[in-house]
Amino acid sequence: MGNTSRVQYVATGVFVCLVIMASLYIEQSFLGAFVWGIILSITAFPLYQVLRRRGCGNMVASLVISVGIFALLAVPLVAMVAKAVADLPSLYDWAKSASQTGIPVPKQVADLPGGSSKIAPLWQKYLSDPNELRTWLGSVSHTFATADGKNLTHRLMEVAETFMIAVLSVYFFLVSAESLIGDIRAVGKKFLGRRATDAIDNIVGSVRGTVAGLVLVGMGEGGIIGIGYFMAGTPHPALFMLVTAIVSIVPFCGPVILALAAATTFAASGGGAALIVGLIGCVAYFFGDHFVRPKLISGNTKIPFLAVLTAILGGLHACGLLGLFIGPAVIAVAFSLWRSAVTDSRADCAAS
């Protein structure tokens, strides 16, 4: 009887593993979308609870949040693409004219310390010379004509598909939220015991903290710097503001766009306007990255900010954009298990 039970136990385990592996294989194209859906659902769940308390039905609250997420994420991207498409004719005319006559040295270059003696000759060599400029433009055209450029449309279609599946999964996750939460806690308790509650709470806290610290702070920094773009007369300020906000989500990447915007502002409006953009950007990034972002990211889980920061960057290297949220969640679970082990060890020492 014991051997029969053991055989059934092993056979059940093997069968369950095969089913899980087959399910992952079948759904492999959409696993990323499902993970994004989980992240968005965890972030939006407090709003879902508020809507439920105010009398909204389960399906209505889930639909409102799903539509809101779609509008919040899709509208800025569509606006950016539309703006870029609208600027293509003028960009083409500019590139055609520049390839024939070159790009003259801006008069603002002479106002820079050492500008006439150092920057102007380099500008004349690489940008004012039509032959040299045609070489640069030819390499860019060649890139889009090769497989990398042709794959761009395919990649955009994959991103759109992932986005739609993620938003759709948010609706179904929230509709089934109550049963899903109970099931996850029950399964977690079976395998981790009482530590499951702390692990789950830390995962939820890390995801919400990361979303607030990365997305909200990045958007806020982009909005503040965008005001500087409008004040300084930066060309295409709305487009620069949107790109700055999106790029600022990733730590240390926002200043790259800020430097590009400041250079564009300098070329268009002079050193004073570029200085305004640079000062506003430096102040926004200093306070946002040194005070607000660490508090929001590490505050919910009581994890040292250095550990969270390295988890964000390491996750970005390992898993792409999803790693921005997966990395802190994994580290949060690791710290939770460590603290539980320390607490148990101290309790055992005190008892003995």
Side-chain angles (χ1 to χ4, degrees):
M1 188 71 176
N3 291 333
T4 303
S5 299
R6 190 178 298 109
V7 170
Q8 289 178 345
Y9 181 80
V10 172
T12 301
V14 172
F15 179 73
V16 169
C17 290
L18 290 175
V19 170
I20 293 175
M21 291 174 62
S23 300
L24 293 176
Y25 178 77
I26 292 171
E27 298 287 353
Q28 61 179 323
S29 300
F30 305 104
L31 291 179
F34 291 148
V35 175
W36 278 116
I38 292 172
I39 293 171
L40 294 173
S41 299
I42 291 175
T43 305
F45 187 70
L47 178 59
Y48 168 82
Q49 292 178 307
V50 171
L51 294 177
R52 293 284 285 145
R53 286 195 296 267
R54 295 191 175 183
C56 289
N58 184 23
M59 298 179 66
V60 173
S62 303
L63 182 62
V64 168
I65 291 176
S66 301
V67 173
I69 290 175
F70 178 83
L72 183 64
L73 298 179
V75 170
L77 292 177
V78 171
M80 184 172 63
V81 172
K83 179 63 177 175
V85 171
D87 289 343
L88 281 179
S90 60
L91 180 62
Y92 174 78
D93 293 338
W94 174 85
K96 184 178 179 180
S97 175
S99 65
Q100 296 173 352
T101 61
I103 304 175
V105 180
K107 61 179 182 179
Q108 289 86 353
V109 172
D111 298 334
L112 289 175
S116 299
S117 60
K118 297 181 180 180
I119 299 178
L122 293 175
W123 189 294
Q124 291 174 346
K125 179 179 179 180
Y126 292 105
L127 297 178
S128 296
D129 184 2
N131 294 326
E132 188 70 26
L133 186 59
R134 275 196 296 268
T135 302
W136 286 82
L137 294 175
S139 63
V140 174
S141 300
H142 178 72
T143 300
F144 282 93
T146 57
D148 292 337
K150 294 177 180 178
N151 286 335
L152 179 60
T153 303
H154 179 68
R155 291 292 303 159
L156 290 176
M157 292 298 294
E158 287 184 347
V159 170
E161 181 185 59
T162 300
F163 175 68
M164 293 300 297
I165 297 297
V167 173
L168 189 63
S169 65
V170 169
Y171 171 78
F172 287 101
F173 286 150
L174 292 179
V175 165
S176 308
E178 295 180 2
S179 60
L180 279 175
I181 291 173
D183 294 344
I184 291 171
R185 290 190 179 277
V187 174
K189 189 174 182 180
K190 179 178 178 61
F191 289 98
L192 296 177
R194 60 181 180 79
R195 296 175 181 172
T197 300
D198 291 336
I200 293 172
D201 291 342
N202 276 280
I203 290 175
V204 172
S206 68
V207 169
R208 290 176 181 167
T210 305
V211 170
L214 294 183
V215 179
L216 297 184
V217 173
M219 292 296 181
E221 289 173 340
I224 293 172
I225 297 172
I227 296 175
Y229 294 157
F230 282 98
M231 291 174 56
T234 303
H236 309 292
L239 183 60
F240 263 115
M241 180 175 67
L242 185 59
V243 174
T244 302
I246 293 174
V247 175
S248 296
I249 292 174
V250 182
F252 310 124
C253 290
V256 177
I257 303 299
L258 176 64
L260 178 61
T264 305
T265 305
F266 171 77
S269 304
L275 183 62
I276 293 175
V277 171
L279 287 176
I280 294 178
C282 289
V283 171
Y285 284 127
F286 177 78
F287 285 99
D289 291 346
H290 289 82
F291 298 102
V292 180
R293 182 166 279 171
K295 180 65 176 179
L296 291 176
I297 292 178
S298 60
N300 288 334
T301 55
K302 307 301 181 184
I303 299 175
F305 178 68
L306 180 60
V308 179
L309 179 61
T310 53
I312 290 172
L313 298 178
L316 180 64
H317 284 287
C319 307
L321 288 178
L322 275 176
L324 294 173
F325 308 94
I326 294 177
V330 173
I331 296 301
V333 174
F335 269 86
S336 174
L337 296 177
W338 170 260
R339 289 166 180 164
S340 297
V342 170
T343 301
D344 293 343
S345 298
R346 290 177 177 175
D348 294 338
C349 292
S352 61

